[in-house]
Amino acid sequence: MNDYIQSLVDANKLDKVLKKDAWQFSSKPYIMSGPCSVESEEMIVEWALKMKSIGVDALRGGAYKPCTYPIRDSIGNWKEGLREQGLEFLRTASKESGLPIVSEIMAVDQINEFSLDCIDIIQVGTRNFQNYSLLDELGKLDIPILLKRGTWGTIDEILGACERILVGGNEKVAICLRGVVGAPSYRHVFPSIRWAPDIMMIPALKELCNIPVIYDPSHSTGYRNFVPAISAAAIAAGADGLIVESHPNPERSISDADQAISFDSLKDILIKIKK
Ligand code: PEP
Ligand code: MN
């Protein structure tokens, strides 16, 4: 570590909590994949088995989905996700496949539900990145937390949010980078691109802390054709793993359809980065 970085670390007392030996994922790179949203029991169970067959390490799936427009974005019994039922389906998928599951929590009052429902990795979404009361409560658990960066989050805000969970006693924190504001220059050609990839934050965080860094090539690109390139770039830049949205029929995903990738595309990514 150079003197400048050392002085930042010292000034912020980062070494106390952020530089100590971090919790590590069971394999590297650690790959989490699955649909943006859990859509039905059959779909998530079948997909879990397929994920397992190609060496994915954990199954992702949103049960509670924070949508931009709550009325427009709800369809039938899918009201910003299948909610409690979605968690139940994930648990079945986990039992059938043996894969751990990762799913997003939205509020403090869901903490019991998530811990009792055996969610193996609790995802904190971008919109809750600075929900301090939620982070404080997650700090009291002994369940891994995947903390997604707010689209506005500075490096101090990322480190501070992690510190909040760590000081509560929960040392199983991973940072997830998922793109930041600044993508509008693409939108006249690629309308689904909402965020700009934030690859350089990977080595920057590695200088300052020992917390694992996971990259999300799905939300950061917003466009499935760019997911393989940005996945490879993130791993090359030192990411400890990826969280990738994949779907049996990507164009028909109930949410985030433009960025979902197919089984074959995911398999190709895995072959390249797991070798
Ligand atoms: C998601 O992972 O599906 C999600 C909503 O991500 P983010 O919180 O990064 O927008
Ligand atoms: Mn999504």
Side-chain angles (χ1 to χ4, degrees):
M1 198 180 301
N2 68 33
D3 291 348
Y4 174 68
I5 298 291
Q6 186 65 58
S7 68
L8 278 180
V9 167
D10 292 345
N12 291 297
K13 299 193 174 62
L14 294 179
D15 49 341
K16 288 246 171 63
V17 285
L18 298 170
K19 288 301 284 183
K20 62 187 193 187
D21 286 344
W23 157 67
Q24 294 300 329
F25 284 100
S26 52
S27 62
K28 200 176 163 185
Y30 192 82
I31 309 299
M32 296 168 255
S33 189
C36 178
S37 299
V38 177
E39 298 179 14
S40 71
E41 182 168 31
E42 192 191 6
M43 174 254 203
I44 199 70
V45 171
E46 276 178 20
W47 202 242
L49 295 169
K50 294 199 84 166
M51 297 295 95
K52 176 79 180 175
S53 75
I54 51 169
V56 165
D57 298 292
L59 175 73
R60 70 147 282 152
Y64 291 92
K65 294 301 308 173
C67 293
T68 304
Y69 291 105
I71 299 174
R72 183 198 72 183
D73 296 338
S74 287
I75 308 159
N77 66 338
W78 192 91
K79 296 224 176 328
E80 290 193 89
L82 291 179
R83 312 175 78 82
E84 295 88 345
Q85 204 184 29
L87 290 184
E88 203 181 300
F89 295 164
L90 278 169
R91 194 172 43 187
T92 307
S94 172
K95 277 200 195 120
E96 299 276 327
S97 64
L99 285 180
I101 43 185
V102 48
S103 198
E104 178 175 349
I105 194 166
M106 281 180 56
V108 171
D109 62 12
Q110 293 168 344
I111 286 186
N112 276 345
E113 192 186 350
F114 272 67
S115 45
L116 297 176
D117 248 316
C118 310
I119 300 302
D120 301 281
I121 301 175
I122 299 180
Q123 175 176 325
V124 176
T126 289
R127 294 152 192 83
N128 269 315
F129 162 69
Q130 287 181 306
N131 179 341
Y132 290 161
S133 41
L134 178 61
L135 302 187
D136 287 341
E137 289 304 313
L138 295 172
K140 296 177 188 163
L141 303 179
D142 187 28
I143 301 175
I145 307 298
L146 184 68
L147 176 67
K148 296 192 92 173
R149 178 191 193 176
T151 54
W152 61 92
T154 63
I155 193 161
D156 299 296
E157 287 166 340
I158 300 172
L159 295 172
C162 290
E163 189 176 272
R164 201 165 270 280
I165 298 169
L166 291 166
V167 294
N170 186 349
E171 302 203 338
K172 297 175 185 152
V173 181
I175 299 163
C176 177
L177 301 172
R178 47 79 72 218
V180 289
V181 287
S185 57
Y186 296 96
R187 295 198 80 171
H188 61 292
V189 182
F190 300 106
S192 67
I193 296 181
R194 290 177 289 171
W195 317 110
D198 43 355
I199 301 277
M200 197 166 79
M201 190 58 91
I202 301 168
L205 286 167
K206 293 283 172 194
E207 288 252 16
L208 289 171
C209 67
N210 286 335
I211 298 170
V213 180
I214 298 294
Y215 201 79
D216 173 347
S218 307
H219 294 85
S220 61
T221 62
Y223 180 51
R224 77 178 111 265
N225 291 4
F226 296 167
V227 170
I230 297 300
S231 298
I235 297 296
D240 298 280
L242 302 174
I243 181 162
V244 190
E245 289 187 346
S246 58
H247 193 281
N249 193 344
E251 297 78 14
R252 305 209 50 180
S253 300
I254 210 164
S255 54
D256 285 345
D258 296 307
Q259 69 201 30
I261 60 169
S262 65
F263 180 74
D264 288 344
S265 170
L266 179 66
K267 196 168 155 193
D268 269 7
I269 293 174
L270 281 165
I271 290 168
K272 288 190 183 111
I273 65 176
K274 283 254 185 193
K275 67 180 174 208

